Amino acid sequence: MSCPYASTATAAPTGTAPTARAPLSDPLVTVYPEQVLAQHRCVEDPATVREILRRPEYFAADNALTTAMPLAPATLRRLAARRFSLPPVLASASGEPHREVRRIVARFFSPAKVAAQSEPIRALVQRVCDGLRAELDAGGTVDLATHLAAVVPPRIMAALTGVATPPPADLKRWSRDSLELFWGWPDAERQLDLSDSAIDFHAWLRDEVDRSTATVGSGAGPDPGAPGPNLFAALHAGGVDRERIRSLGYFLVIAGQETTAMLAQTVLVTALAEGRWAQCADPDGGAAASREVVRRSLARASSVPTWRRLVVKDTQVGPERFAAGEHLVLRLSGGALGETGDPSLAFGFGVHRCLGAGLAELEAALILEEAARALPGLKLADEPEWEHLLSFQAPRTVPVRSAAVGVDP
């Protein structure tokens, strides 16, 4: 049994990756289970990665959204029974089908539209921090991952796209479960739980897409191909069928909030661990200091440190030969990039570069800057433990407390 979103490998999923206390910086082969390594070839050299991403005719995006580990037969049957389908679109598509969708989506994330969110982001962070201050002043510990980083991105994504978001608890659960199902190494029993979560998310999306596109073509919707108040409606008006809109929505909702929240978590931990919190709060230099922490984090420990490609034709890049059929894991952050402080690959490269790159950088920088100003004197309450999936990483929590509490004057 096969499906377009499942790995084509046939072995049963086994093995676990080592638990990490730090971001991915060593060669990729040290952090992935043996079975994942058996199915993928890791490419570390930045110049080689850039050339691979520059040549989609040889290195296709077909496997970008397939599961890292093969799904068990029981999982595939359960997904099929509930009509769970994610046809290629945007990140996993190529050629004209990719370009037609990208043109529409890009209009919702133009530099002007993203820049207009600066003040709403600042105001939201300030409100959240106001609500956390009393607990911190009382000597309590607060998780900034849950109470700050996870709060901002969903609201900003909804404002930009006009697409509603699920209830926060459902959104977080669906996002985390989908990341684990597609990019983790769950065993057969765990897959069933994750697939139930994915099915619930897919069903919510089906209803949301149907609601958003119901008036398109009746004279009440946006002009074909033009960005309207709702991204799903604009895609449908531009000729994109509902199945592909659901597929795009599935990963756009996750990417638009979960990976941005993960980046914000990394940025917050980096600033605190490296003693840069006060610099980021400075009235004169805080904005520049915060942007620099984001830049360093993208170079050394992006929330999306790798991405995948499928070799479709035998070819050579520099001294390396690639054979058709090989599945590649490309390093986008860390390794040599981290050593040189180069963030240029953190959001990909070429025709599939992330459309939300500017938004993610803006949100992460403003979350750090405003939090540092609103909550001075914070320190990490514990060393965060990092979670690593095939293409995603972040500290699981950002536990903080006030450094001033309990200190004699």
Side-chain angles (χ1 to χ4, degrees):
M1 189 175 193
S2 63
C3 55
Y5 46 83
S7 168
T8 56
T10 57
T14 59
T16 58
T19 299
R21 300 290 295 181
L24 188 157
S25 58
D26 296 327
L28 301 176
V29 296
T30 66
V31 296
Y32 296 146
E34 182 178 344
Q35 187 179 357
V36 170
L37 294 172
Q39 298 171 24
H40 297 84
R41 175 177 172 181
C42 298
V43 182
E44 298 267 355
D45 176 61
T48 304
V49 170
R50 191 172 282 105
E51 185 61 23
I52 287 172
L53 293 174
R54 196 199 306 272
R55 297 167 58 182
E57 68 275 17
Y58 286 92
F59 303 94
D62 297 24
N63 64 345
L65 304 180
T66 59
T67 58
M69 299 280 277
L71 298 182
T75 305
L76 294 173
R77 287 194 295 269
R78 182 168 295 185
L79 292 170
R82 297 296 296 272
R83 296 185 297 128
F84 184 94
S85 175
L86 297 173
V89 63
L90 206 57
S92 56
S94 58
E96 185 54 32
H98 166 255
R99 288 190 291 271
E100 70 176 1
V101 171
R102 188 177 176 90
R103 280 193 293 266
I104 297 171
V105 176
R107 296 168 190 162
F108 284 78
F109 296 92
S110 69
K113 291 180 184 295
V114 168
Q117 295 302 312
S118 294
E119 289 310 311
I121 293 170
R122 290 184 186 276
L124 179 54
V125 175
Q126 290 167 6
R127 289 198 301 272
V128 170
C129 290
D130 287 345
L132 300 177
R133 191 173 295 111
E135 186 170 351
L136 289 165
D137 289 346
T141 297
V142 170
D143 178 17
L144 294 184
T146 300
H147 298 291
L148 177 59
V151 174
V152 178
R155 299 190 189 183
I156 301 304
M157 177 60 66
L160 279 171
T161 65
V163 174
T165 56
D170 288 338
L171 175 62
K172 179 60 67 172
R173 175 172 58 87
W174 290 342
S175 297
R176 300 301 300 167
D177 287 351
S178 291
L179 289 182
E180 183 181 354
L181 179 63
F182 280 81
W183 287 278
W185 17 90
D187 60 23
E189 183 177 357
R190 176 64 175 160
Q191 284 182 20
L192 290 175
D193 292 337
L194 297 174
S195 66
D196 285 340
S197 175
I199 287 166
D200 290 343
F201 183 24
H202 193 259
W204 178 88
L205 274 169
R206 182 183 297 114
D207 292 342
E208 182 60 28
V209 170
D210 289 348
R211 184 193 67 77
S212 299
T213 60
T215 59
V216 175
S218 66
D223 293 335
N230 182 288
L231 174 60
F232 292 169
L235 286 165
H236 192 58
V240 183
D241 61 86
R242 286 188 172 92
E243 281 294 321
R244 286 195 295 153
I245 296 174
R246 280 194 289 270
S247 182
L248 180 144
Y250 192 97
F251 291 105
L252 182 65
V253 170
I254 294 174
Q257 56 85 29
E258 188 63 33
T259 61
T260 302
M262 293 167 75
L263 175 60
Q265 290 162 215
T266 300
V267 165
L268 291 167
V269 165
T270 299
L272 290 162
E274 296 185 352
R276 296 171 177 266
W277 195 253
Q279 296 175 17
C280 295
D282 183 77
D284 297 321
S290 298
R291 289 194 298 270
E292 178 59 21
V293 173
V294 173
R295 184 181 182 280
R296 287 165 55 84
S297 298
L298 288 170
R300 300 190 312 176
S302 171
S303 56
V304 187
T306 71
W307 207 240
R308 283 180 285 175
R309 281 296 180 265
L310 174 66
V311 184
V312 294
K313 300 178 185 178
D314 292 352
T315 190
Q316 185 168 345
V317 177
E320 293 204 53
R321 295 182 178 276
F322 296 91
E326 283 190 284
H327 290 260
L328 310 180
V329 176
L330 312 178
R331 167 86 78 164
L332 303 181
S333 175
L337 292 160
E339 293 171 4
T340 58
D342 179 5
S344 62
L345 285 175
F347 293 100
F349 184 80
V351 297
H352 281 91
R353 189 176 189 274
C354 177
L355 288 170
L359 177 62
E361 291 187 80
L362 178 70
E363 288 187 78
L366 292 182
I367 287 172
L368 173 56
E369 180 187 351
E370 292 300 326
R373 289 177 179 173
L375 303 172
L378 289 190
K379 68 177 183 179
L380 287 170
D382 192 13
E383 181 186 359
E385 179 181 299
W386 283 70
E387 177 181 26
H388 294 301
L389 302 172
L390 180 62
S391 289
F392 300 94
Q393 66 175 5
R396 296 178 187 273
T397 59
V398 186
V400 298
R401 60 186 177 88
S402 174
V405 174
V407 177
D408 294 331

